[in-house]
Amino acid sequence: MAGATLSAPTATGAALAQAAPQQATSFTGKLVIIIPYVFLLVFFLVPFFIVFKISLSQTAIAMPPYTPALDFSGGISGIVGQLRELNFDNYLFLTEDPLYLNAYITSVIVAGISTLLTLLVGYPIAYGMSRAPATLRPTLLMLVILPFWTSFLIRVYAWIGILKPEGLLNQLLMSTGIISEPLIILNTYTAIFIGIVYSYLPFMVLPLYSALEKMDYSLVEAAQDLGCPPTTAFWKITFPMSLPGVLAGCLLVFIPAVGEFVIPDLLGGSQTLMIGRTLWNEFNANRDWPVSSAVAVLLLLVLIVPIVIFQHAQARAQEQGR
């Protein structure tokens, strides 16, 4: 009886000791999930709400240069009254002025072409890195990341010295007799493409390298043993298996390229019509914060909506594949 009496507390202690690690694991799992949501709340939703709030206000000669909208000091009744008085004149103004529509379209086109060029340049680099000897891969990876150790602004300014009429590129081509007069590259869209491809190339190479390095190349060897030409094996095996890296790299290049300001301003000149420069002009030159906030909100929607649609389509494809 004494042994039976002592066995109950012992079993309870063992159960508590076993439940403690499970509770700790459960708390850690919840914490891992909560942290990204808190990050998005603080650094995305709150700034987005502030910008959206400014976009609903009206321009004023004051500091800050707009009339406050959605003032929460009046309580719930005051907020309801303000909601009834809200207007979307700034968004309607964007549809009436062709400048903004042209800037959006130009930015998307430039970003799309730049993303395609970055993919064409980055894929062979990533493929070569993935097929290089294992001892050499860390060095090649470091060389890809190395430009990040230098200021982005300094790297863009360096391209001015390379592309200007009396720059290094024209001097090299003229000294070798390839051209007889300097090429006009600076202050053109060609210079913008060069700057974006150079600046965002690591963002394309790294996801591609990650996808290609994990690929089982024995499948390619098996296809070639069965008589499949190398080019056909690449398009039927290698490229489809690297699509996750291709899509990730394209998104990492396309999204920041649409709103790029520094490269179009320095390499494209003052006549370049892109939404990043238009946004900067509205904020700083015109000091029209409500309209510029509306431009920023629409730019964010232009970028987010396609991504959400793409993720939804991917999720449906994965479910159908199961």
Side-chain angles (χ1 to χ4, degrees):
M1 294 296 292
T5 305
L6 292 174
S7 64
T10 304
T12 304
L16 291 175
Q18 187 176 5
Q22 294 178 354
Q23 292 178 354
T25 304
S26 176
F27 175 76
T28 305
K30 292 179 180 179
L31 186 63
V32 170
I33 296 174
I34 290 174
I35 289 177
Y37 284 101
V38 173
F39 181 87
L40 289 175
L41 175 65
V42 175
F43 295 102
F44 177 74
L45 291 180
V46 173
F48 175 78
F49 176 76
I50 294 174
V51 173
F52 180 70
K53 177 183 173 183
I54 296 174
S55 70
L56 299 177
S57 62
Q58 300 297 323
T59 306
I61 304 177
M63 182 55 68
Y66 61 89
T67 56
L70 294 177
D71 187 5
F72 298 103
S73 60
I76 298 178
S77 59
I79 295 176
V80 173
Q82 294 177 49
L83 289 174
R84 294 174 180 173
E85 298 176 358
L86 287 179
N87 60 74
F88 295 86
D89 293 343
N90 295 320
Y91 293 93
L92 294 175
F93 175 74
L94 297 183
T95 61
E96 297 171 355
D97 193 337
L99 170 68
Y100 303 101
L101 179 60
N102 293 335
Y104 280 118
I105 294 175
T106 304
S107 298
V108 170
I109 293 174
V110 170
I113 296 175
S114 301
T115 302
L116 179 60
L117 293 175
T118 309
L119 177 62
L120 294 177
V121 175
Y123 201 100
I125 297 175
Y127 184 80
M129 291 171 58
S130 65
R131 299 306 302 268
T135 56
L136 190 59
R137 291 176 191 175
T139 303
L140 297 176
L141 193 61
M142 181 62 66
L143 292 176
V144 173
I145 303 175
L146 193 62
F148 286 120
W149 294 7
T150 308
S151 170
F152 174 76
L153 194 61
I154 293 176
R155 286 185 279 133
V156 177
Y157 269 112
W159 276 104
I160 296 178
I162 296 174
L163 299 178
K164 62 184 180 180
E166 64 276 10
L168 298 176
L169 178 61
N170 279 312
Q171 290 182 6
L172 176 63
L173 295 177
M174 293 177 67
S175 63
T176 55
I178 297 177
I179 60 174
S180 58
E181 57 183 18
L183 298 175
I184 305 300
I185 302 176
L186 193 63
N187 297 332
T188 64
Y189 282 101
T190 302
I192 296 177
F193 294 141
I194 294 174
I196 293 178
V197 169
Y198 166 76
S199 300
Y200 292 104
L201 186 61
F203 294 104
M204 181 67 74
V205 172
L206 295 178
L208 287 172
Y209 170 72
S210 178
L212 290 169
E213 187 187 27
K214 299 175 183 176
M215 197 183 79
D216 186 5
Y217 285 99
S218 62
L219 298 175
V220 179
E221 295 174 359
Q224 292 178 353
D225 291 340
L226 294 174
C228 184
T231 305
T232 306
F234 172 81
W235 288 112
K236 289 189 174 182
I237 298 176
T238 304
F239 187 77
M241 295 186 69
S242 66
L243 276 180
V246 172
L247 296 176
C250 289
L251 289 177
L252 288 175
V253 174
F254 179 80
I255 292 174
V258 171
E260 181 61 54
F261 164 71
V262 175
I263 295 175
D265 185 56
L266 296 180
L267 300 182
S270 59
Q271 301 301 319
T272 303
L273 183 62
M274 290 188 67
I275 198 63
R277 182 172 179 81
T278 303
L279 188 61
W280 185 90
N281 286 333
E282 292 293 342
F283 259 114
N284 295 278
N286 299 337
R287 295 191 61 79
D288 194 343
W289 287 23
V291 171
S292 56
S293 298
V295 172
V297 170
L298 288 181
L299 176 61
L300 189 62
L301 294 178
V302 167
L303 295 177
I304 287 181
V305 171
I307 295 175
V308 172
I309 295 174
F310 168 74
Q311 290 181 341
H312 181 68
Q314 254 195 338
R316 291 184 59 185
Q318 290 178 355
E319 291 179 358
Q320 292 175 358
R322 294 175 184 173

